[in-house]
Amino acid sequence: MLVTKQPVLRRFWYPVIPLELLNDGPKPFTLLGENIVVWLDSQGEPAAVLDRCCHRTAKLSRGYVKNDCIVCSYHGWEYDRDGKLTRIPQAPHSAGTPKWSVPGFHCKARYGYAWVALDEPLQDIPDVEGAEEPGSRLIQEFYEVWNAASFRYIENVLDFAHFPYLHMQTFHDGADVNAVHEKIDHHEWGFTSVSFVPVAGADKMQQSLGLAGSATVRPTTRNYYVPFARTLIFTGPDENRHVIHSTATPIDDQHMMFVQFCVRRDTEEQAPAAELIAWDRKITLEDRAMVEATDYDVALDASDSAEMHTMTDRAGLLARRKLLELLTSHGEIESRRTPRTAPDALAKSTR
């Protein structure tokens, strides 16, 4: 699937820029191949329009904010949050501002980010457990570009079969996880997977996450949200929870912005944020090295792929199916760079 060729993906919310990065002025971002500019108004609310002045095509992200509008630094043309042109300094005495504009996009703030939907959203921003409750800590962890397709990241975080191999230096020592119990419940925009995964380094992991006690089997809940978001919940023996929310915001077909924050119900003294981030950093670096080594053109339709699958790929294959159903329900076909016909072995393994 090529994300820039699937119009329905424009109808979802994506976190694009931390709000704090907008405090010193407008910033550019590329979302699904669309160059946009994001800024904050006087109330601290974000706005987003196409990063292109309709006068001489200059980038509006090189401009500044005035009276809640973004001003092009080339000739001073001003645009409101809907992209409507509100002032032309070179024509101050005209009867009225021409009805010129640039495309404006849906934009709002949540969880410390400016979220953007390029077209009318099909659903709201996912609700993350505890993130907006009194007494919770929302800890911003990562905001960085990965050279990989958004779905390749999602596929990785829905998979537990790679733990004994990719994460041997952090929380696993190579013990077999093929017998992991996993229960999947479907919902309208994705699914919830509950699994009980044996973790050889449980004591070390529990301690690093500030979860009291130890356990050799970690209850783990993964909520997948179409198209490119998931929430991961670790539960400790004392019922304390470490909640991680990640979004693989699609920049283009081959790049994604990795956005991740975590939610805690304890204090900084009990579990310092720097230590939590350092632990999650080790794991994400292991994931990143491998995810960036995959082919960006993911085949949602298993019959059009040369990839092999096993039973431990169940959640990832379900996510592919959910995305393919989304496309077909909106009259789209899956766009591929190099469609391939699956061999008989693959066809049998996915029935």
Side-chain angles (χ1 to χ4, degrees), residues 46-287:
V49 301
L50 188 71
D51 193 10
R52 183 179 186 275
C53 181
C54 67
H55 178 216
R56 288 292 183 266
T57 75
K59 290 185 177 298
L60 294 175
S61 55
R62 300 284 183 90
Y64 56 94
V65 179
K66 174 185 174 183
N67 298 325
D68 293 343
C69 293
I70 190 164
V71 183
C72 180
S73 286
Y74 198 1
H75 296 92
W77 290 30
E78 301 179 16
Y79 301 85
D80 65 16
R81 65 180 303 113
D82 296 319
K84 181 182 177 182
L85 183 62
T86 60
R87 181 171 181 265
I88 301 177
Q90 293 77 23
H93 305 299
S94 60
T97 303
K99 294 182 179 180
W100 298 337
S101 65
V102 296
F105 307 111
H106 303 272
C107 186
K108 62 181 177 180
R110 197 171 186 187
Y111 308 133
Y113 275 83
W115 294 66
V116 173
L118 297 176
D119 290 329
E120 186 64 31
L122 291 172
Q123 61 165 331
D124 203 354
I125 297 169
D127 293 322
V128 178
E129 179 184 310
E132 297 168 321
E133 295 178 2
S136 289
R137 286 192 294 157
L138 193 155
I139 301 170
Q140 300 295 348
E141 292 197 314
F142 311 119
Y143 176 73
E144 61 194 22
V145 176
W146 285 21
N147 299 320
S150 292
F151 188 77
R152 286 299 188 190
Y153 171 78
I154 291 299
E155 199 169 50
N156 171 266
V157 295
L158 293 177
D159 166 50
F160 53 77
H162 71 278
F163 291 176
Y165 311 99
L166 192 58
H167 298 305
M168 291 179 63
Q169 303 302 315
T170 49
F171 65 85
H172 221 285
D173 68 354
D176 182 26
V177 296
N178 291 333
V180 170
H181 171 68
E182 182 178 30
K183 178 184 178 183
I184 294 179
D185 293 318
H186 297 255
H187 53 76
E188 184 179 6
W189 294 106
F191 58 83
T192 298
S193 165
V194 179
S195 58
F196 297 86
V197 182
V199 179
D203 289 338
K204 179 180 178 182
M205 188 170 195
Q206 297 286 355
Q207 182 179 5
S208 297
L209 296 180
L211 302 176
S214 62
T216 56
V217 176
R218 184 182 71 241
T220 304
T221 300
R222 295 171 292 179
N223 290 315
Y224 166 62
Y225 306 96
V226 172
F228 308 123
R230 68 94 202 225
T231 299
L232 179 65
I233 303 173
F234 298 131
T235 303
D238 63 350
E239 297 305 313
N240 191 11
R241 292 155 88 82
H242 182 70
V243 180
I244 297 174
H245 184 79
S246 307
T247 305
T249 297
I251 294 174
D252 54 31
D253 295 322
Q254 302 184 54
H255 304 86
M256 52 167 269
M257 180 63 78
F258 174 48
V259 175
Q260 181 167 297
F261 57 83
C262 71
V263 180
R264 305 281 301 193
R265 293 286 295 178
D266 50 17
T267 65
E268 175 67 16
E269 291 71 23
Q270 292 172 315
E275 293 182 9
L276 296 171
I277 294 171
W279 174 259
D280 286 340
R281 171 83 289 179
K282 293 178 183 178
I283 297 172
T284 57
L285 286 177
E286 291 172 335
D287 285 327

